[in-house]
Amino acid sequence: ARLRRFRRNSRRFYHGTSTTYESSVRQGIDLGAGRQDVDFGRGFYLTESRRQAEKWARRIAGKTGGDPVIIPYRIANRELRRLRSLEFGAADESWLRFVRHHRKSRSAMHEYDLVRGPVVGSVPTLRPLAFPEYNQTSIHTPKAVRVFDMGRR
């Protein structure tokens, strides 16, 4: 894993959810609302793939009974550069250790505002999905929440 700079003027992110949760997300990101035992620890998860967000939204809507909703965000590079970020460019050994640690430990946390990397496909083996366009970005601090709340569309 390495720290990586963002290259474009801004990036688009998408959060897939359902109408059940839409109003609370639009009111502001709540870092305590998510599960703790997920890939990068408790946080708010997004993707840069609209198709992937649509898939997540359909899955959440199927569980909650609401309709799928995509909440878009556009975040300026200058704002992203101010965040302490960790990016896993591939599903390598350091990514695997990081994911396993956060999935197994209910109290684990790290010092990053933002973490980005591959999506886990199989929970028992923690293999990444076979879709290279799929990724996940998670935010974990009030500083990152402020940046993303301002970039919500």
Side-chain angles (χ1 to χ4, degrees):
R2 63 187 173 138
L3 295 177
R4 186 168 166 186
R5 302 196 94 168
F6 296 95
R7 295 193 180 118
R8 294 175 237 146
N9 289 333
S10 65
R11 287 211 174 183
R12 289 179 187 249
F13 296 89
Y14 305 94
H15 179 74
T17 190
S18 74
T19 51
T20 304
Y21 303 115
E22 179 183 15
S23 64
S24 65
V25 173
R26 290 193 186 279
Q27 289 175 15
I29 296 168
D30 178 1
L31 293 175
R35 291 182 16 227
Q36 183 125 358
D37 58 344
V38 291
D39 296 354
F40 302 148
R42 178 174 285 167
F44 183 76
Y45 282 73
L46 309 104
T47 179
E48 291 182 68
S49 165
R50 185 171 181 93
R51 183 173 141 213
Q52 181 181 347
E54 289 167 353
K55 181 179 177 180
W56 285 350
R58 284 191 302 273
R59 185 172 18 170
I60 291 168
K63 291 178 182 179
T64 66
D67 293 321
V69 174
I70 305 300
I71 301 174
Y73 296 78
R74 176 169 272 191
I75 310 299
N77 270 356
R78 68 183 177 282
E79 296 300 325
L80 291 169
R81 283 193 292 270
R82 292 178 182 157
L83 300 177
R84 181 159 169 78
S85 300
L86 175 65
E87 181 165 345
F88 294 97
D92 59 15
E93 193 60 38
S94 62
W95 168 84
L96 185 59
R97 279 192 307 272
F98 193 86
V99 169
R100 279 188 177 148
H101 175 73
H102 287 91
R103 283 191 163 235
K104 288 181 179 181
S105 174
R106 295 200 179 269
S107 61
M109 197 28 107
H110 49 74
E111 69 275 12
Y112 298 102
D113 299 314
L114 181 146
V115 179
R116 182 178 186 277
V119 174
V120 174
S122 171
V123 174
T125 60
L126 295 178
R127 291 190 187 132
L129 287 174
F131 302 105
E133 71 273 14
Y134 282 11
N135 60 70
Q136 58 187 338
T137 299
S138 58
I139 60 172
H140 302 274
T141 63
K143 180 179 179 181
V145 167
R146 284 190 297 277
V147 168
F148 277 79
D149 275 344
M150 287 188 315
R152 187 175 45 253
R153 299 286 173 196

